[in-house]
Structures are given as C-alpha cells and as structure tokens.
C-alpha cells in the first residue's frame, strides 16, 4: 500500500485454486469465480441430457445449478448463443453455461 498498490497478485494461489476446481470437475471447460465457492462455468452437455428439454431435465431442482446460456454447435463453424427457455432442447455438441456452488457443479454428470 505504501507504493500505491491496491491489490496483490499471488499466481501460485490462483493456479492452485484453478487446478483444484479442474480436478473436482474435469469436464469444466471454463470457470469464472463469482464469489467464494460460487462460479459461472462452461461445460459440454452431458451425454444423458442430449435430446431432452430443460423442463424435462429439471436441472435447477435436481442439481442445484442454473443454466444461463447455451452455445449451440452449428455445422457451418459459427456457433449460436441462446438464452435458454424451459422448452429448449439440448443437442450433441452443445455447451452450456451454468451458475452454482462449486460443490454442486463438481457433482454434475460428466
């Protein structure tokens, strides 16, 4: 603080946290820590969820996480981002963005 710094960077601590989360949820493609113990994560759609709607899967009640966006894979190489509705059907190759407690994310099917 004497030299004007308002934040400290600890790369070892940040790397350790990133690896801890990656080991707990190895299928997690990207993770943004929102608050202690809670994250926004990007994961591929689990195989068992393909072909089902979000309403059928009832992800919020069963897994205690919220689906906030879906990236639908297209055959043309450009992906479309979708704000999910209960009627949104998940497809093979889709990637979903979820918000939840890290421990709940780690328990999701891979």
């Amino acid at each position: 603080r004497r030299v004007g710094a308002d934040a400290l960077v600890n790369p070892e601590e940040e790397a350790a946290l990133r690896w801890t989360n990656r080991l707990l949820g190895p299928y997690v493609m990207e993770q943004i820590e929102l608050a202690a113990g809670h994250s926004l994560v990007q994961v591929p759609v689990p195989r068992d969820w393909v072909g089902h709607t979000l309403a059928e899967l009832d992800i919020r009640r069963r897994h205690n996480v919220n689906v906030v966006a879906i990236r639908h894979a297209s055959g043309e190489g450009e992906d479309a981002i979708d704000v999910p509705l209960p009627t949104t059907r998940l497809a093979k190759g889709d990637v979903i963005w979820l918000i939840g407690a890290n421990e709940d994310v780690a328990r999701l099917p891979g």
Side-chain angles (χ1 to χ4, degrees):
R1 295 201 188 280
R2 287 185 213 169
V3 296
D6 56 2
L8 293 174
V9 176
N10 188 335
E12 293 87 2
E13 185 177 316
E14 290 178 19
L17 286 171
R18 195 169 28 254
W19 275 105
T20 299
N21 291 330
R22 185 166 249 172
L23 292 172
L24 289 174
Y27 50 86
V28 173
M29 300 166 65
E30 190 171 336
Q31 180 171 3
I32 300 168
E33 196 79 19
L34 299 175
H38 290 79
S39 297
L40 171 66
V41 298
Q42 181 182 18
V43 298
V45 171
R47 189 177 312 140
D48 294 345
W49 294 5
V50 171
H52 295 281
T53 66
L54 294 177
E56 292 169 346
L57 294 169
D58 200 9
I59 297 167
R60 182 181 300 172
R61 186 182 61 76
R62 290 182 181 167
H63 301 285
N64 203 32
V65 296
N66 291 308
V67 178
V68 295
I70 302 172
R71 189 177 77 216
H72 297 287
S74 68
E76 292 80 48
E78 190 167 315
D79 297 341
I81 301 293
D82 193 12
V83 175
L85 299 171
T87 57
T88 301
R89 191 167 302 279
L90 300 175
K92 183 178 180 181
D94 285 353
V95 174
I96 53 178
W97 282 94
L98 306 165
I99 287 182
N102 295 342
E103 58 202 28
D104 292 326
V105 170
R107 285 193 292 265
L108 289 172

